[in-house]
Amino acid sequence: MKLLMVCLGNICRSPMAEGVMRSKIQARGLNILVDSAGTSNYHTGEHPDARATACARKHNVDISTLKARQFMVRDFDQFDRILVMDASNYHDVLALARHEADKKKVELIMNTMYPDSNLSVPDPYFGGEEGFEKVFMMLDNVCDLLASSYRTQP
Ligand code: 4NP
């Protein structure tokens, strides 16, 4: 199973999601690969935002070495599930889908916890540190549920 976490910049929400998910995967000994990407190229090559790194570190998750990259059409081939943070990410990724099979891979990450709720993981970039804490908690909860939905399968 290969999961791709997607947000706009790939410096706040999706790297936090990648780090949290990776720690849940390791804790459960699951055979799941996780990566992250941004729909934009605004921050390509950059490490995560310092506030995201500090927040994750506070919760014993190290995302300091991750580097931002832009979502590519070939990610549809590389990943089984593409978990996006908000409605605008959803729209941007779907716009690159080549066919129905691509579209089917894309879902709002919070819908895996609250089906059909269409809840977004809010963008914390322009806010304060409390926004990062809130995002971390949402991602921690949803990744816990996601990880528990997988058994040790290929
Ligand atoms: P992210 O946050 O999508 O969670 O990584 C953002 C990062 C950068 C920008 C917006 C959101 N930006 O406009 O540069």
Side-chain angles (χ1 to χ4, degrees):
M1 176 59 59
K2 294 178 183 174
L3 306 176
L4 183 66
M5 306 295 192
V6 174
C7 64
L8 173 63
N10 194 209
I11 54 165
C12 298
R13 292 165 292 176
S14 61
M16 289 169 93
E18 178 182 346
V20 171
M21 192 63 200
R22 190 165 287 144
S23 80
K24 307 281 182 199
I25 289 165
Q26 276 168 3
R28 288 177 168 79
L30 298 171
N31 184 17
I32 297 176
L33 185 144
V34 60
D35 191 14
S36 66
T39 55
S40 76
N41 64 0
Y42 302 159
H43 297 278
T44 295
E46 294 178 22
H47 292 300
D49 186 286
R51 297 164 297 174
T53 304
C55 176
R57 180 175 295 131
K58 222 166 77 182
H59 297 278
N60 298 313
V61 175
D62 181 12
I63 59 169
S64 63
T65 59
L66 300 181
K67 276 194 184 168
R69 72 165 179 91
Q70 189 169 22
F71 179 84
M72 303 171 279
V73 171
R74 95 158 177 258
D75 287 318
F76 286 116
D77 302 319
Q78 307 278 324
F79 293 92
D80 302 297
R81 295 177 80 179
I82 298 166
L83 299 164
V84 301
M85 300 296 137
D86 66 29
S88 127
N89 309 148
Y90 186 81
H91 176 267
D92 291 344
V93 172
L94 271 212
L96 297 171
R98 298 157 297 183
H99 40 61
E100 209 50 40
D102 285 353
K103 290 185 188 170
K104 274 199 188 143
K105 294 187 175 186
V106 189
E107 52 193 323
L108 281 165
I109 191 169
M110 294 311 293
N111 276 0
T112 65
M113 188 167 194
Y114 304 111
D116 304 317
S117 65
N118 296 337
L119 280 171
S120 284
V121 178
D123 183 351
Y125 187 66
F126 295 105
E129 277 167 21
E130 68 287 349
F132 284 83
E133 197 59 36
K134 179 184 171 179
V135 162
F136 188 93
M137 288 306 163
M138 290 179 83
L139 293 171
D140 192 62
N141 283 325
V142 74
C143 288
D144 212 36
L145 190 71
L146 262 172
S148 67
S149 73
Y150 292 108
R151 302 261 174 261
T152 30
Q153 89 274 50

